[in-house]
Amino acid sequence: MMNKVINRSMKSAVSITLMLFSIVTYGQGGKLQKVFNKKELNTLYNAVLIHPDSLSIHNNYLDAMGIDNPKLLKEYDALLTKFPKSAVVPYAYGIYLSRLESPEARKYLLVAVERDSTLSEAFSALAFDAQRRGDMNLSLEYLLSAKRAAPNDPNHAFYYASTWKNFDSNRWILESLNVAKNFPDHQRGAQALFWLAERSMNFQDKRNFYRLLRESYPADQFSWSAAGSREEIEYLLTIDPSEALRLALEMAAKPKLAKEFGEYLNVAKLVADASMSMSENRPDAAIESYEQIKDLPAFSKFKKQLPVLIAKAISKAGQPDKAYNSLLVKVKVSPNTELLNGIISLGKDLNKSEDQILRDINDQLFKNAELATDFTLKRYDGLPESSLKDFRGKVVLLTYWFPGCGPCRGEFPHFEKVYRKYKDQDVAYLAINIVSNQNPFVLPFLKETGYSFTPLEDVDGRNKGNLDNKNRAPINFLIDKTGKIIFSDFRIDGHNEDELETMFDLLLKRS
């Protein structure tokens, strides 16, 4: 229905668009910028009145007015009444608001799908709106409607499959495999297999999904397949260096991937050489190989393993003190389980007691730690304002977020799981929303999810000091009972919840 309506108005839309070229100017920095006077805006609005079912004409008018223009809300409410059968009127405004993640989008999108149930993009936008409100069940319903409205659209199929991860792992696997099966020539199929492999906690399942991804989607044609091969190499570097080397050689042999995987091939060679040297009792050679590994990606999984491997080689070379200290200096940056276990193992080799090892770790953690910049912010739950100093005597997990932030929403379940494990101890959980125009999402999100964080609203331009998130999210801090920042710039997912547990344990054990 909608496509037919748009086609009928295409000629008029083209003429209006051509008219716009006469009023385009260039702003600062050469960025294309449209400037409209009152007469031109009236011309665009009259075009909407003449052709209410032309999506392009609506978009021209909305772009010209600017989303912050207070007239738009009243105008489109009036247009809904004036054109009671048009699905394009509410669809155009709803999608425009949705792209800005505005809470107002839902009202217009609901009218649009009521008037035309084939508007798959409207259902999809409603699904993401529901996620910002924390209602994953409703999101799944809307995504199913989008999928039914456009069964040949890989985007709807992918998002529908992915959402099942929140409800039923087996159904998630089945639906994701269906995406790959039904869309063998689309990146979404490769992406579905990538996430099956990446999020799998079972070694054999992970390897099988990575293999299926490589076989179904050539890595030199599909970016998600190339990403999967990179992740698999990183995964294998610690578990099976020879297999990591074999895969790196296979990928680097492809002309389109030679440059990208050349770096991974070099790392895999060095790790394989080091592993062989250790098995042959040549730790000095292993150290030499490991220390040639440079410039690993910031979120490289192997980057966390490398210091432990080097320390083991240093210890085997007869320098256990140096090995022990080399890991201690890393504990504040990456307090993962492997690192802590390495410290404990090397400490015991040095005949240190567990208390002494813990004191050594604390010395590193709290050396040069800074007092966190205080703040006082409004709470969304109606309680009095909260200041950071109100939580002295507690270990504070502080995260910057906003409801439209997918990575933030993805991190919350893991924060919540760990927080609940410690909630009967001296811990606090604060979340600062950095996007004020998404305030209407916050309380519904909390109600639907049942998350335990204290919801705080940020203030533009405030002095954040050493708790500055630089207007980014998610950004996380862990603050000790005395108010000092001990950990920062960490991310938590299903693979490293133990890292957050380790951080809590270290701070709670300190008297």
Side-chain angles (χ1 to χ4, degrees):
M1 171 183 168
M2 181 175 167
N3 288 336
K4 292 180 181 178
V5 171
I6 291 175
N7 288 336
R8 287 201 298 269
S9 301
M10 188 60 69
K11 290 183 180 179
S12 298
V14 170
S15 65
I16 293 292
T17 302
L18 289 174
M19 178 197 74
L20 293 178
F21 281 111
S22 65
I23 50 178
V24 168
T25 62
Y26 283 88
Q28 292 181 349
K31 183 179 179 181
L32 196 62
Q33 179 180 334
K34 296 177 183 177
V35 179
F36 301 87
N37 59 38
K38 185 175 181 180
K39 181 178 179 181
E40 292 160 345
L41 289 172
N42 286 336
T43 299
L44 290 172
Y45 183 66
N46 286 332
V48 169
L49 294 176
I50 296 170
H51 302 285
D53 290 324
S54 170
L55 184 60
S56 59
I57 287 179
H58 280 284
N59 288 341
N60 289 334
Y61 180 62
L62 290 166
D63 285 337
M65 287 288 284
I67 197 61
D68 293 329
N69 194 314
K71 289 181 63 178
L72 280 176
L73 190 63
K74 291 182 178 179
E75 286 181 345
Y76 270 84
D77 281 344
L79 288 171
L80 285 180
T81 302
K82 185 175 182 64
F83 303 104
K85 294 184 179 181
S86 173
V88 179
V89 169
Y91 176 78
Y93 193 39
I95 288 293
Y96 196 76
L97 290 169
S98 177
R99 287 173 185 150
L100 298 169
E101 299 180 343
S102 168
E104 298 292 335
R106 181 171 66 171
K107 168 185 173 181
Y108 300 93
L109 294 170
L110 286 172
V111 175
V113 296
E114 182 181 352
R115 294 179 179 182
D116 184 354
S117 62
T118 70
L119 295 176
S120 62
E121 293 298 333
F123 281 118
S124 182
L126 282 166
F128 291 118
D129 176 89
Q131 289 181 21
R132 295 180 199 113
R133 300 174 193 274
D135 193 339
M136 297 304 296
N137 287 290
L138 182 60
S139 177
L140 189 64
E141 290 179 20
Y142 284 136
L143 287 170
L144 179 58
S145 296
K147 184 169 176 279
R148 286 172 173 169
N152 295 321
D153 190 319
N155 296 309
H156 300 322
F158 170 78
Y159 286 118
Y160 176 71
S162 298
T163 303
W164 273 104
K165 180 71 169 65
N166 302 287
F167 301 98
D168 184 331
S169 294
N170 290 330
R171 181 69 182 271
W172 165 58
I173 293 171
L174 177 63
E175 294 291 345
S176 296
L177 290 173
N178 283 337
V179 175
K181 176 183 176 181
N182 295 331
F183 301 99
D185 300 319
H186 199 278
Q187 289 282 2
R188 288 298 192 192
Q191 188 178 6
L193 293 181
F194 172 87
W195 287 118
L196 284 181
E198 175 65 11
R199 292 170 177 168
S200 176
M201 304 298 287
N202 178 277
F203 170 79
Q204 195 56 54
D205 287 347
K206 184 180 287 288
R207 294 301 311 282
N208 287 339
F209 287 135
Y210 277 133
R211 186 179 301 111
L212 181 61
L213 174 58
R214 288 198 309 277
E215 293 172 352
S216 304
Y217 298 89
D220 53 359
Q221 298 177 35
F222 294 87
S223 59
W224 282 104
S225 186
S229 293
R230 291 194 301 270
E231 293 291 324
E232 187 175 8
I233 290 169
E234 288 237 4
Y235 182 69
L236 290 169
L237 283 172
T238 303
I239 297 171
D240 190 344
S242 62
E243 181 64 12
L245 178 57
R246 185 204 63 75
L247 181 56
L249 282 166
E250 178 186 331
M251 292 297 111
K254 300 178 185 294
K256 290 184 179 180
L257 301 176
K259 181 178 180 181
E260 176 184 358
F261 280 88
E263 298 175 4
Y264 283 89
L265 177 57
N266 182 55
V267 171
K269 285 179 177 177
L270 290 169
V271 174
D273 287 345
S275 179
M276 180 65 71
S277 296
M278 286 291 283
S279 67
E280 295 173 351
N281 199 28
R282 295 186 295 115
D284 289 331
I287 295 168
E288 184 179 350
S289 295
Y290 284 136
E291 289 183 342
Q292 291 181 57
I293 299 173
K294 308 291 183 184
D295 301 323
L296 289 168
F299 291 104
S300 164
K301 295 175 176 61
F302 183 68
K303 192 172 187 176
K304 294 181 178 181
Q305 306 286 341
L306 184 57
V308 179
L309 294 173
I310 295 175
K312 288 179 179 178
I314 293 172
S315 180
K316 194 169 185 177
Q319 302 181 76
D321 284 290
K322 181 179 178 182
Y324 179 73
N325 290 325
S326 73
L327 294 187
L328 279 177
V329 299
K330 302 285 185 181
V331 73
K332 189 164 185 174
V333 178
S334 180
N336 57 78
T337 301
E338 291 82 0
L339 185 74
L340 268 294
N341 287 340
I343 291 172
I344 292 170
S345 176
L346 290 170
K348 289 181 177 178
D349 289 344
L350 293 168
N351 295 318
K352 290 177 176 284
S353 67
E354 290 189 7
D355 287 343
Q356 181 58 56
I357 294 171
L358 183 59
R359 284 196 296 271
D360 291 342
I361 291 172
N362 282 335
D363 286 345
Q364 288 294 327
L365 288 179
F366 296 95
K367 182 171 62 177
N368 301 322
E370 294 182 347
L371 194 67
T373 301
D374 195 22
F375 57 74
T376 300
L377 295 174
K378 179 182 176 181
R379 295 174 59 132
Y380 288 94
D381 53 14
L383 295 176
E385 292 181 327
S386 286
S387 299
L388 181 59
K389 64 183 179 182
D390 296 338
F391 300 94
R392 288 284 172 85
K394 296 179 181 289
V395 173
V396 177
L397 171 61
L398 170 67
T399 184
Y400 286 91
W401 77 297
F402 61 97
C405 170
C408 303
R409 297 196 306 268
E411 205 167 30
F412 276 136
H414 308 295
F415 282 161
E416 184 71 20
K417 182 178 177 181
V418 175
Y419 172 75
R420 291 195 177 193
K421 181 176 179 179
Y422 293 89
K423 66 184 180 69
D424 293 330
Q425 301 184 49
D426 294 325
V427 296
Y429 178 17
L430 314 180
I432 301 176
N433 172 35
I434 65 172
V435 181
S436 59
N437 64 9
Q438 293 189 18
N439 284 348
F441 286 129
V442 175
L443 287 180
F445 181 83
L446 268 175
K447 180 180 179 181
E448 289 292 339
T449 61
Y451 291 151
S452 307
F453 62 77
T454 298
L456 303 174
E457 180 181 0
D458 211 353
V459 176
D460 287 341
R462 72 178 175 90
N463 176 23
K464 298 179 182 179
N466 54 18
L467 291 178
D468 191 359
N469 66 314
K470 302 185 186 303
N471 295 318
R472 293 182 290 120
I475 297 293
N476 306 313
F477 298 88
L478 203 62
I479 301 166
D480 82 332
K481 295 180 181 182
T482 68
K484 292 181 178 179
I485 301 171
I486 308 301
F487 298 108
S488 59
D489 294 328
F490 57 88
R491 292 287 301 277
I492 302 298
D493 58 29
H495 291 89
N496 70 337
E497 286 179 1
D498 63 312
E499 189 167 318
L500 183 57
E501 291 182 11
T502 297
M503 289 188 271
F504 270 122
D505 283 336
L506 290 170
L507 300 191
L508 288 169
K509 286 178 182 177
R510 189 169 189 257
S511 57

